[in-house]
Amino acid sequence: MYNEASAVCAIVVTYHPDLALLGKLVDIVSAQSAQVVVVDNSGPNPVVASALPASAVFIPGERNIGLAAAQNRGIAWAREHGYDHILLLDQDSTPAPGMVGRLVEGLARLRAEHQVAAVGPRFHDLRESRFAPFVRIRFPVNQRLWCDGEQAVRCDFLIASGMLIPMEVLDTIGPMDEGLFIDNVDLEWGFRAQAKGYALYGLCGATMHHRLGDARKPLPLRLGSVVVHGPQRLYFIMRNRVLLYRMRHVPRIWVAQDLPRLFAKLFLFGVLIGPRPAHWRYMLRGLWDGVRGRSGPCPADEA
């Protein structure tokens, strides 16, 4: 597939993971010739380390430092040990056979002709009937790019899980924004890369199963279902989108297009889906903290 000159370090950030699924993920990625580094955000939790094979590197944490900071810890380890590529993965992702090699080979082909920041696979949430599309940001709605086969699709957004990034690109663009803590970290990094003249590509021939959100709840009047998150996650979802509105490298077209989504989420989680009082409290606090530029972890005791 690819040679060891293009060594890949896969960084898996965990938070109270399902140990069986985590072990499966590590085995799959290791079998595809990538070094796996697990950065745990669960706090003191020796059970996670005991579930990993000896080939994996385990970096424990005393507390939850956030997704972005944990990714940066893994990136620092990979840089120190001479890896050329970073593969970001979530604990609830399952790469298909050959995904890593297809990403590496596709990235190499694209970089021969373009300035590429990262590539990512098509992903399939098993609760959906088909693979998710890649996305180009347009107004008033995004352009969805459905694909199959082996083509590469230029896009404006890649989810973090499955994203393959050359180390030299990270050195140029910079690390993940730790102030965002968890939500929209991948979106901000992609916008920053594109503002510096880099492109993002989705590779249709590389695939992965991935779970978005904490759960699904039915909407009233049989209007379907929606992916939901806990109240504290809603704090980050609201705060971080406002923080992105304030950043110069974030496209204004995305801001204009996202504002209706902000109000839609307020209605959805504040009116239609409970627990409504907690949702309102965390969402409004997130909006206020975003307006005043507060970053970092959620001030749970004050929310």
Side-chain angles (χ1 to χ4, degrees):
M1 295 288 284
Y2 58 94
N3 58 47
E4 293 186 3
S6 297
V8 176
C9 181
I11 298 167
V12 182
V13 176
T14 55
Y15 182 74
H16 301 293
D18 180 309
L19 298 181
L21 290 178
L22 177 61
K24 179 181 177 182
L25 169 61
V26 172
D27 288 342
I28 289 172
V29 178
S30 298
Q32 297 185 38
S33 301
Q35 172 63 56
V36 179
V37 174
V38 175
V39 185
D40 188 48
N41 264 345
S42 307
N45 190 0
V47 176
V48 176
S50 67
L52 300 175
S55 61
V57 173
F58 180 69
I59 301 178
E62 292 300 315
R63 58 185 175 85
N64 183 2
I65 60 175
L67 174 65
Q71 289 173 337
N72 288 338
R73 287 188 71 184
I75 291 167
W77 185 95
R79 181 182 288 110
E80 180 183 345
H81 290 82
Y83 285 87
D84 301 317
H85 295 80
I86 295 298
L87 176 66
L88 300 178
L89 288 168
D90 289 352
Q91 66 188 33
D92 51 5
S93 297
T94 306
M99 185 197 81
V100 177
R102 289 188 176 94
L103 290 174
V104 172
E105 292 171 350
L107 177 62
R109 287 194 302 269
L110 288 165
R111 294 188 78 200
E113 299 181 8
H114 309 283
Q115 187 167 255
V116 181
V119 295
R122 284 192 300 153
F123 73 89
H124 177 215
D125 189 321
L126 292 176
R127 297 165 296 185
E128 299 286 349
S129 61
R130 58 179 174 174
F131 280 85
F134 295 111
V135 171
R136 288 186 187 140
I137 296 170
R138 298 290 186 268
F139 187 84
V141 295
N142 287 333
Q143 178 185 2
R144 296 185 176 189
L145 306 169
W146 304 96
C147 68
D148 52 26
E150 297 295 328
Q151 68 263 43
V153 178
R154 184 162 182 171
C155 54
D156 293 323
F157 169 66
L158 293 170
I159 67 168
S161 191
M163 187 159 59
L164 182 73
I165 312 171
M167 185 65 77
E168 63 186 67
V169 170
L170 278 164
D171 292 339
T172 300
I173 295 171
M176 305 300 152
D177 187 337
E178 298 185 10
L180 296 176
F181 201 77
I182 183 170
D183 219 80
N184 282 348
V185 174
D186 43 14
L187 187 62
E188 185 281 328
W189 189 89
F191 285 155
R192 196 177 348 137
Q194 291 173 90
K196 294 189 177 184
Y198 286 83
L200 304 174
Y201 281 87
L203 300 183
C204 303
T207 59
M208 176 184 74
H209 295 299
H210 179 69
R211 183 182 178 90
L212 287 175
D214 297 334
R216 286 184 181 270
K217 285 189 177 181
L219 292 172
L221 305 176
R222 297 183 178 180
L223 295 176
S225 62
V226 63
V227 175
V228 299
H229 303 279
Q232 193 171 101
R233 182 68 183 274
L234 287 173
Y235 167 86
F236 291 111
I237 287 173
M238 288 299 179
R239 186 199 69 181
N240 288 0
R241 68 196 327 127
V242 177
L243 290 179
L244 262 64
Y245 297 166
R246 300 160 53 97
M247 298 177 181
R248 290 187 177 183
H249 59 273
V250 172
R252 297 301 95 182
I253 189 174
W254 177 81
V255 176
Q257 188 226 66
D258 189 69
L259 279 168
R261 278 200 298 270
L262 185 155
F263 291 104
K265 286 183 180 294
L266 282 173
F267 177 75
L268 186 65
F269 294 103
V271 177
L272 297 183
I273 296 176
R276 294 171 186 83
H279 284 173
W280 274 115
R281 187 167 67 252
Y282 276 88
M283 287 191 296
L284 292 177
R285 179 56 190 267
L287 290 174
W288 172 239
D289 282 354
V291 167
R292 65 190 184 129
R294 178 170 183 165
S295 60
C298 174
D301 295 338
E302 306 170 30

